[in-house]
Amino acid sequence: MRATTVAATLGGLSAVGAAAAHVWARHIEIHRYTLREVELGILPAGARTIRLLHISDIHLMPDQERKLAFLRHLETLRPHLVIDTGDNIASAASVPVLAEAIEPLLRRPGAFVMGSNDMYAPSPKNPLRYFLPDARPEGFTEREDVELPTEELAGRLSAFGWKDLTNSRGRIELGGLEVQLVGVDDPHLERDEMPPPQDASPPEHGRVLRLGVAHAPYRRVLDAFARDGSDLILAGHTHGGQLRIPGVGSLVTNCDLPRSQARGLSTWRGVPLNVSAGMGASPYSNYRFATPPEASLITLRAPRAGSPDQR
């Protein structure tokens, strides 16, 4: 076989492979909604086990029926606590649709922070810019994008008691366990301001769980949560890299988080860090490869006798 024939054959196979990967990423994997389950022994002795549902980066359009069905299904997990780390919507019309789909979850104890896509409508972007050291455009703090109804969204999310952790703290009592929450506004837009410590006595039972919550897991924010004494940090934003190469992993994180921590459970300065790969993507780049859309169910328990603390 001539070299030109071999080259043409290989080129054709590469083109077929690329086309197949595109079809998979754009039409199949983007709809393969997955529940990732992990367990952590970080609760104080005597605390009952709790199920924490972590949702993030839904990027909902109102006609995404398969995504809405997955959101409705999450109530069947019967979580004790729900944490939403932002980028819920991709359209103003999505706000009431989202609120209706997750209303059973909204009636459970929960808290949320916002991401940039809860504030500004998505727009077409060159995907190659995510390989730059900082993917944010010049003057990103003075955006001219179409604004989304952020206040309406916050009102819907807090209607039944979810805590709005925008640069603030909150407390939730869960049957003999006090959950102390601290959150920040979206670090990707540099709106994060660590709230001052609360001057309050610990609960009489003494059982406390401290959670740090942010949309984008920038190192400065993770460091601040670790210094603040968080037992667990929750974030989203990365989409798990959105496109991953098997054996290599994520190519980008869209922030300064190491690529090896783009999704899943890891540690940051000794503190467990869960980065959700999220449930969606921008409607202008609505595809995923080797990182299916997900929600996380984190089972938190006290350390078992004879086992080390998992922090």
Side-chain angles (χ1 to χ4, degrees):
M1 185 179 291
R2 293 182 178 180
T4 53
T5 304
V6 172
T9 301
L10 292 175
L13 290 174
S14 297
V16 170
H22 173 77
V23 170
W24 174 266
R26 179 67 180 85
H27 299 287
I28 299 176
E29 184 161 335
I30 191 68
H31 303 300
R32 292 180 62 237
Y33 299 103
T34 303
L35 181 69
R36 182 167 52 82
E37 297 187 60
V38 295
E39 184 175 299
L40 278 172
I42 61 171
L43 294 187
R48 67 180 178 91
T49 298
I50 65 170
R51 294 186 301 277
L52 189 162
L53 177 65
H54 179 192
I55 60 176
S56 193
D57 297 87
I58 302 168
H59 292 279
L60 183 67
M61 293 292 286
D63 60 348
Q64 293 176 326
E65 289 300 329
R66 281 177 282 192
K67 186 182 294 184
L68 288 165
F70 181 68
L71 284 167
R72 296 185 189 103
H73 167 74
L74 293 176
E75 164 60 17
T76 66
L77 302 173
R78 302 183 65 82
H80 302 107
L81 179 65
V82 185
I83 302 295
D84 178 349
T85 49
D87 273 8
N88 293 278
I89 57 175
S91 161
S94 301
V95 174
V97 180
L98 173 73
E100 180 180 3
I102 66 171
E103 182 174 328
L105 294 177
L106 293 174
R107 293 180 180 275
R108 294 182 174 274
F112 66 92
V113 292
M114 296 291 192
S116 61
N117 285 275
D118 296 315
M119 307 172 199
Y120 302 100
S123 59
K125 297 180 177 68
N126 183 348
L128 294 179
R129 73 187 184 90
Y130 291 105
F131 290 92
L132 298 173
D134 190 341
R136 297 168 296 184
E138 183 91 20
F140 70 93
T141 56
E142 299 177 1
R143 297 178 60 135
E144 298 179 355
D145 300 6
V146 175
E147 293 187 0
L148 291 174
T150 309
E151 291 187 7
E152 179 187 352
L153 175 61
R156 294 272 190 163
L157 294 179
S158 59
F160 300 102
W162 275 18
K163 308 293 185 183
D164 184 344
L165 298 178
T166 303
N167 294 331
S168 65
R169 297 179 183 267
R171 295 182 180 222
I172 296 175
E173 185 71 26
L174 284 181
L177 175 71
E178 182 175 277
V179 183
Q180 297 181 358
L181 305 130
V182 58
V184 294
D185 205 346
D186 189 6
H188 193 61
L189 298 182
E190 296 192 357
R191 297 189 179 195
D192 52 294
E193 296 180 10
M194 192 70 176
Q198 285 184 332
D199 184 15
S201 58
E204 185 175 336
H205 52 66
R207 291 184 289 274
V208 173
L209 172 68
R210 299 174 179 86
L211 300 181
V213 183
H215 173 63
Y218 279 84
R219 299 183 187 208
R220 67 179 185 276
V221 176
L222 304 182
D223 288 344
F225 286 155
R227 289 192 300 268
D228 196 60
S230 293
D231 299 306
L232 172 64
I233 302 171
L234 302 165
H237 177 70
T238 66
H239 298 185
Q242 194 160 329
L243 301 177
R244 297 172 67 92
I245 298 177
V248 175
S250 171
L251 300 180
V252 297
T253 63
N254 197 19
C255 62
D256 62 0
L257 186 72
R259 292 185 295 109
S260 62
Q261 295 178 276
R263 70 172 182 181
L265 190 65
S266 62
T267 60
W268 187 265
R269 300 195 182 280
V271 180
L273 166 66
N274 191 68
V275 177
S276 172
M279 293 186 210
S282 166
Y284 296 101
S285 57
N286 197 32
Y287 45 76
R288 283 174 176 255
F289 190 81
T291 179
E294 68 172 30
S296 305
L297 184 65
I298 308 173
T299 299
L300 302 176
R301 56 169 179 77
R304 295 189 178 97
S307 67
D309 190 324
Q310 292 189 15
R311 259 191 72 151

